[in-house]
Amino acid sequence: MGLVDKLKQNKSIVYTLSGGAAYGLAHIGVLKYLEEAGVRPVAIAGTSMGAIVGGLYAYGYEAAQIEQISERVRSLELVKLFFPSFPRGGIIDTDGIRDFFYGFIQDVRIEDLPVKFRSVAVDINTGEEIIFDRGRLIDAIIASMSIPAVFKPYYYAGRYLVDGGLVNNLPWDIAQTMGDINIVVDVAPQSKQPDPECLFTSDIVESGSGEPEIGKRKHGDNGKHENRLKSEAFGEQLKKLIQSIQNGKDSFSVKELAARFSRATEEKRAVQGLPEIITHMMAIIHESTQSPPKNTPIKSVYLHIDLMKYALNDFHKADEIIDEGYRTAQEDAKFSKEIEKLSRKVS
């Protein structure tokens, strides 16, 4: 009997992986720890970097293999993938990034993955949260990671989509519909307990263009949702920023921009580049990440990884960040105790 079958006989485990730019590399270390404990998911929900790592894992790659992929991203590939081309609506085109990951997952569809998968993006025009639950995996992960103004919006099914972290950086509420025990890994700079009045409901809708159906949901209309307010403020700042770029009012060099995503020196990194400024603006929104409340319908095992000593664009420090994820999972007494219990159940 396989491990997944054993889990289904007992309790099915799902993973929630948050967004967080380079911080999301820590997910790989946590996955490595969970593998060693003999714990595997039947489903994964992820946002942004959590969608990339989670998507690769749902496809069938082991943590060590995903680490090898990250090594390619931080080497020469990094400059090529993140080289500024100033497409309409951003600084960096996602075509090269999509082609890079296509080499690992091709045209596989979400509904054909061995592990169920969901990712989160946002319709830049309507503010709706878009949940990918079918269609090509490559579309689901690239849309979810498209940080607005840094990357051009990802066009899919008649919509322009950007990073899901704007509205749901830690999609535990999506994951909890897919299993019995939710292992939640949060790498965002801070995390706050949610206001119960701000929980979401969702429904599946037709895309209207012959494309696979994807879910969409909108935040409540009570005007009290902090994430929503921050998203709206961020949107206004983005409009001004994009306008200034198009008018040529911002002075920054292509060389500087490339350096932000490559092996820059500490001296260079001390000067904020435009991509880093935008990424930090995203982090402000991420600070209102909602961790699962104690009374969720299913059991949640929560782990927060403190990575504040790193910059959000420290992809060249992948080894350190991955190790930090592994070490935190191992040393967090509450988390490791819960994982040990799960390990005994599936052994």
Side-chain angles (χ1 to χ4, degrees):
M1 182 182 293
L3 181 59
V4 171
D5 294 323
K6 288 181 180 179
L7 285 173
K8 287 179 178 177
Q9 273 195 340
N10 298 284
K11 295 290 185 180
S12 57
I13 296 171
V14 297
Y15 291 172
T16 298
L17 306 180
S18 80
Y23 289 2
L25 293 166
H27 290 311
I28 302 172
V30 178
L31 292 177
K32 191 182 298 186
Y33 171 79
L34 293 171
E35 284 178 3
E36 290 176 1
V39 175
R40 299 274 184 163
V42 298
I44 300 172
T47 297
S48 196
M49 196 64 184
I52 294 176
V53 175
L56 291 170
Y57 204 69
Y59 179 85
Y61 288 107
E62 298 284 292
Q65 293 173 307
I66 301 175
E67 184 172 9
Q68 289 174 354
I69 293 172
S70 76
E71 288 174 0
R72 287 186 58 183
V73 172
R74 68 195 162 129
S75 63
L76 229 95
E77 297 284 352
L78 198 61
V79 177
K80 291 192 291 183
L81 293 180
F82 297 108
F83 191 80
S85 58
F86 299 95
R88 184 174 177 81
I91 298 170
I92 302 168
D93 201 314
T94 54
D95 290 352
I97 301 170
R98 188 184 64 237
D99 291 345
F100 174 80
F101 284 111
Y102 184 86
F104 296 98
I105 59 178
Q106 289 81 46
D107 284 314
V108 68
R109 298 178 67 81
I110 293 171
E111 54 267 42
D112 295 329
L113 294 172
V115 173
K116 288 183 183 179
F117 178 73
R118 302 287 184 270
S119 74
V120 180
V122 180
D123 185 320
I124 194 66
N125 292 315
T126 67
E128 289 170 322
E129 179 184 3
I130 303 300
I131 304 168
F132 280 84
D133 63 355
R134 64 200 73 182
R136 295 196 312 166
L137 177 61
I138 192 71
D139 294 320
I141 65 175
I142 300 301
S144 186
M145 58 136 279
S146 295
I147 298 174
V150 173
F151 299 106
K152 73 174 184 181
Y154 192 73
Y155 186 72
Y156 178 82
R159 296 173 177 270
Y160 288 95
L161 305 178
V162 296
D163 194 313
L166 281 169
V167 295
N168 196 355
N169 194 52
L170 187 66
W172 58 264
D173 53 326
I174 298 170
Q176 72 176 9
T177 66
M178 299 190 288
D180 303 304
I181 299 173
N182 190 3
I183 296 177
V184 182
V185 185
D186 184 5
V187 299
Q190 293 180 14
S191 128
K192 297 179 181 178
Q193 292 296 324
D195 179 347
E197 296 180 3
C198 296
L199 300 183
F200 310 125
T201 58
S202 66
D203 60 306
I204 301 298
V205 298
E206 291 283 349
S207 69
S209 63
E211 296 287 342
E213 292 179 347
I214 48 179
K216 71 174 181 179
R217 17 183 222 185
K218 233 176 180 177
H219 292 289
D221 298 325
N222 58 14
K224 296 180 180 179
H225 195 288
E226 185 180 1
N227 228 27
R228 180 64 173 174
L229 294 176
K230 286 186 176 181
S231 298
E232 290 172 354
F234 182 61
E236 289 303 311
Q237 291 298 320
L238 281 178
K239 287 178 185 177
K240 293 178 183 178
L241 181 60
I242 292 171
Q243 195 170 36
S244 68
I245 292 173
Q246 291 173 340
N247 294 337
K249 292 180 180 178
D250 274 18
S251 58
F252 48 82
S253 69
V254 170
K255 185 177 179 181
E256 276 184 67
L257 288 170
R260 304 315 306 161
F261 291 96
S262 62
R263 194 178 294 274
T265 64
E266 292 303 318
E267 182 180 353
K268 287 179 182 175
R269 283 165 37 75
V271 180
Q272 295 262 322
L274 190 59
E276 188 167 18
I277 290 171
I278 297 168
T279 306
H280 278 283
M281 289 172 72
M282 288 287 292
I284 292 171
I285 295 172
H286 290 175
E287 286 178 2
S288 61
T289 290
Q290 296 184 340
S291 54
K294 294 179 180 178
N295 60 343
T296 51
I298 71 171
K299 178 179 175 60
S300 294
V301 182
Y302 178 77
L303 177 69
H304 180 261
I305 304 172
D306 184 358
L307 296 161
M308 292 298 287
K309 64 183 177 183
Y310 299 101
L312 285 160
N313 293 333
D314 273 348
F315 289 98
H316 63 288
K317 295 183 178 180
D319 279 347
E320 294 179 33
I321 296 173
I322 292 170
D323 287 346
E324 196 70 32
Y326 181 88
R327 184 193 62 76
T328 302
Q330 189 177 46
E331 295 180 2
D332 185 290
K334 187 174 180 181
F335 181 78
S336 59
K337 183 178 180 180
E338 291 294 336
I339 298 305
E340 186 180 347
K341 290 179 184 176
L342 289 176
S343 179
R344 288 198 297 266
K345 288 181 180 179
V346 300
S347 60

